[in-house]
Amino acid sequence: MGAEATNHAALGRRRGRPRIDLRRLGRAALSGPGSRDGLPDAIDHVAKVHRGHHPGADLDVLRQAYVLAESSHRGQTRKSGEPYITHPLAVTLILAELGAETTTLTASLLHDTVEDTEVTLDQVREQFGEEVRYLVDGVTKLEKVDYGAAAEPETFRKMLVATGNDVRVMSIKLADRLHNMRTLGVMRPEKQARIARVTRDVLIPLAERLGVQALKSELEDLVFAILHPEEYARTRDLVAARAGRTDPLEATASGLRAVLREAGVAAEVHVRPRHLVSVHRVLLRRGQLTGADFGRVLALVEEDADCYAVLGELHTCFTPVVSEFKDFIAVPKFNLYQSLHTAVAGPGGEIAEVLIRTHQMHRVAEAGVIALGNPYAAEGPARPAPAGEREDPTRPGWLSRLLDWQRATPDPDTFWTSLRADLAEDREVTVFRADGGTLGLPAGASCVDAAYAQHGEAAHACIGARVNGRLATLSTVLRDGDTLHLLMSRDAASGPAPDWLGHART
């Protein structure tokens, strides 16, 4: 963010709609001539994109935020020489394309004002309200002059805590990092590598956990280019070499369209290209690539039931690869992702991967928590809790665990090292409770972890469990999709066994 600002006043994608293309908004939209009302075309373009997702949005607050951001950043430039205002505008355009609501876009326009200009948080609150002030404060870096070498880890700690109360803080940070990564070429190579490593170790895992695949995919490719330039170039050349050839996935997509049309199932069928890192992973896994490995077929429908109708027609008319079927609609991933995954043999015999989801599932798959909008909208304006914190009803379980853990890790170096290690390893599984509810648990969690997640201290009385209908020890590690029935003692004197500590993952 502010590292690229210089104050001179003081000194003197290829096909269809399958994947959101966050690069398609050009520089002209950021620094074009003034519009009829005296504001640059840039903010008008943000407003137009925003209205596409939110037709009834109040645009006046965005224009006010732009006026404050532009006037406060006036005279500052980025390392590239561009006016600094192009950065908050680009970040806001990224979020607008993903469907962020008005409050997030307002805070995005202002996200560097407190850090890099004379604007204060009190001024932000007075003009735009407490929610915007909170979001701007959440993404504002801590000063190196105050924190020294601990500034970066403590800034991330601060952002994680703020995200725990409002996930929109991290949405702004991710979009901010994406634009900075796009323009990283003006930095020294060693600084590029340092920023890319932090992006790889911290920001990309957070983007995945928040379900923002559109940001995650592009960040992965940008990091790949900086940290592994030779592999990146080879993968890019492989993709480029395929560009002029017949795509076997198009034949599969065409066949599926015909089958669904005949069956009366309304669906959009696209070929979804893989991003470069995804192609590279397939190459590492299989050793060589077929024409069908450069993308996947995506079918979009209106209703959940239509997803299974498409699946039935697909498996009836094509030869399915049974081992590749996964139902993430009945059992969504921990990051909100829902879709049916399968694979079939195409007309030419090549195996084609197919994704089936509703339009709403697709929006959430691409934009994650950003697609959910304001988590407080159903309750009216966000109100501070008695302790001065706001409780986010969308806070995922992994984030709660990170927040609990960071409070017990005061040393900045230990926190920073452990955070990167934890994000590299942490995954979540969904376990179905016998009473019909679900539990989100970290991968590797046992029945002991599930007992305390469900019952709190009352889990002291747990004496056993049934996993998928069979008796199991409390040390049993739970898998994604398991059904769990905890057996509780009625004896008030019963308590936990010491060896439970060895079974606990949480």
Side-chain angles (χ1 to χ4, degrees):
M1 291 187 290
E4 289 202 3
T6 302
N7 194 325
H8 288 284
L11 297 175
R13 296 220 179 221
R14 300 182 306 186
R15 291 183 288 253
R17 56 166 281 184
R19 173 173 281 119
I20 295 174
D21 184 357
L22 296 175
R23 285 185 176 273
R24 70 186 176 88
L25 300 170
R27 181 178 300 178
L30 296 178
S31 55
S35 59
R36 284 172 297 181
D37 60 4
L39 293 176
D41 287 343
I43 192 62
D44 283 345
H45 193 67
V46 170
K48 187 180 296 184
V49 172
H50 185 41
R51 272 280 169 86
H53 290 278
H54 303 278
D58 177 11
L59 302 180
D60 186 57
V61 67
L62 291 181
R63 298 180 186 276
Q64 291 179 42
Y66 173 79
V67 169
L68 178 58
E70 194 282 328
S71 60
S72 60
H73 286 299
R74 193 174 298 157
Q76 295 178 336
T77 60
R78 307 190 83 218
K79 295 282 188 188
S80 61
E82 293 177 306
Y84 193 84
I85 189 61
T86 59
H87 171 64
L89 276 170
V91 173
T92 305
L93 279 168
I94 290 168
L95 291 167
E97 281 288 303
L98 292 172
E101 40 70 57
T102 309
T103 301
T104 302
L105 300 188
T106 303
S108 176
L109 283 167
L110 301 169
H111 79 270
D112 275 344
T113 53
V114 173
E115 183 177 318
D116 291 332
T117 78
E118 299 301 315
V119 174
T120 66
L121 287 171
D122 287 341
Q123 286 176 282
V124 173
R125 181 196 289 112
E126 288 169 11
Q127 189 168 351
F128 300 99
E130 174 58 27
E131 268 190 281
V132 174
R133 186 213 70 83
Y134 185 89
L135 297 177
V136 171
D137 184 35
V139 295
T140 298
K141 289 180 183 174
L142 299 173
E143 294 288 345
K144 284 188 177 180
V145 68
D146 297 323
Y147 287 84
E152 185 172 42
E154 289 302 321
T155 292
F156 272 95
R157 187 199 298 269
K158 172 176 175 268
M159 271 190 285
L160 272 178
V161 172
T163 299
N165 293 323
D166 195 324
V167 292
R168 293 174 293 179
V169 171
M170 193 56 68
S171 299
I172 296 171
K173 176 59 183 176
L174 289 170
D176 169 77
R177 179 53 61 95
L178 176 57
H179 184 247
N180 279 336
M181 286 294 296
R182 286 176 179 174
T183 56
L184 209 58
V186 297
M187 298 286 191
R188 300 186 310 276
E190 60 271 21
K191 188 167 185 179
Q192 290 185 39
R194 184 185 68 78
I195 293 173
R197 283 192 291 270
V198 173
T199 303
R200 177 197 63 194
D201 296 345
V202 180
L203 275 304
I204 288 174
L206 287 171
E208 180 181 8
R209 283 153 180 73
L210 294 173
V212 194
Q213 293 299 315
L215 296 182
K216 172 181 173 280
S217 297
E218 190 177 340
L219 284 172
E220 283 185 328
D221 284 352
L222 291 166
V223 167
F224 188 32
I226 292 171
L227 298 184
H228 306 283
E230 293 180 0
E231 291 92 334
Y232 174 86
R234 280 197 293 270
T235 308
R236 183 192 57 203
D237 291 344
L238 283 172
V239 172
R242 286 292 313 176
R245 302 184 193 177
T246 301
D247 189 344
L249 291 177
E250 290 290 358
T252 302
S254 179
L256 179 57
R257 289 188 197 103
V259 166
L260 296 178
R261 207 164 35 242
E262 185 176 344
V265 180
E268 294 179 20
V269 180
H270 305 278
V271 172
R272 175 188 176 92
R274 292 182 185 272
H275 65 291
L276 291 180
V277 167
S278 180
V279 172
H280 182 65
R281 286 173 181 152
V282 174
L283 178 60
L284 291 178
R285 187 167 66 246
R286 298 179 184 169
Q288 60 182 5
L289 296 172
T290 68
D293 289 331
F294 289 86
R296 290 183 284 191
V297 175
L298 172 66
L300 297 174
V301 295
E302 289 299 325
E303 305 292 338
D304 290 16
D306 295 336
C307 294
Y308 295 96
V310 171
L311 180 71
E313 296 296 331
L314 183 69
H315 282 189
T316 299
C317 299
F318 293 85
T319 303
V321 181
V322 179
S323 61
E324 294 295 314
F325 174 68
K326 296 181 180 67
D327 188 343
F328 294 117
I329 295 178
V331 185
K333 288 188 178 183
F334 68 92
N335 61 0
L336 310 176
Y337 179 86
Q338 288 184 285
S339 191
L340 296 178
H341 287 208
T342 189
V344 296
E350 291 184 311
I351 302 301
E353 293 184 37
V354 184
L355 311 176
I356 307 167
R357 59 179 71 141
T358 67
H359 290 281
Q360 174 61 16
M361 289 174 192
H362 184 61
R363 283 191 289 272
V364 174
E366 293 289 277
V369 295
I370 298 174
L372 301 182
N374 182 355
Y376 311 101
E379 305 171 1
R383 295 181 299 275
E389 295 184 353
R390 289 159 32 193
E391 188 171 329
D392 186 346
T394 68
R395 181 199 288 186
W398 62 265
L399 181 53
S400 295
R401 290 194 299 275
L402 273 183
L403 293 171
D404 290 341
W405 163 77
Q406 69 83 25
R407 280 191 284 268
T409 316
D411 178 67
D413 291 337
T414 303
F415 164 76
W416 192 228
T417 302
S418 301
L419 173 66
R420 295 165 86 150
D422 193 79
L423 287 173
E425 297 175 3
D426 188 37
R427 293 294 184 274
E428 190 158 302
V429 297
T430 300
V431 174
F432 294 91
R433 291 167 22 185
D435 62 6
T438 61
L439 294 172
L441 299 166
S446 68
C447 294
V448 170
D449 297 294
Y452 283 95
Q454 181 174 345
H455 295 293
E457 288 192 9
H460 293 342
C462 188
I463 55 174
R466 288 184 181 272
V467 177
N468 301 324
R470 297 184 177 184
L471 284 173
T473 64
L474 290 177
S475 62
T476 300
V477 174
L478 297 166
R479 295 175 299 176
D480 200 36
D482 279 347
T483 299
L484 175 68
H485 180 198
L486 294 167
L487 307 176
M488 310 298 287
S489 171
R490 295 184 179 180
D491 183 0
S494 63
D499 60 357
W500 286 11
L501 289 173
H503 306 327
R505 164 73 170 82
T506 57

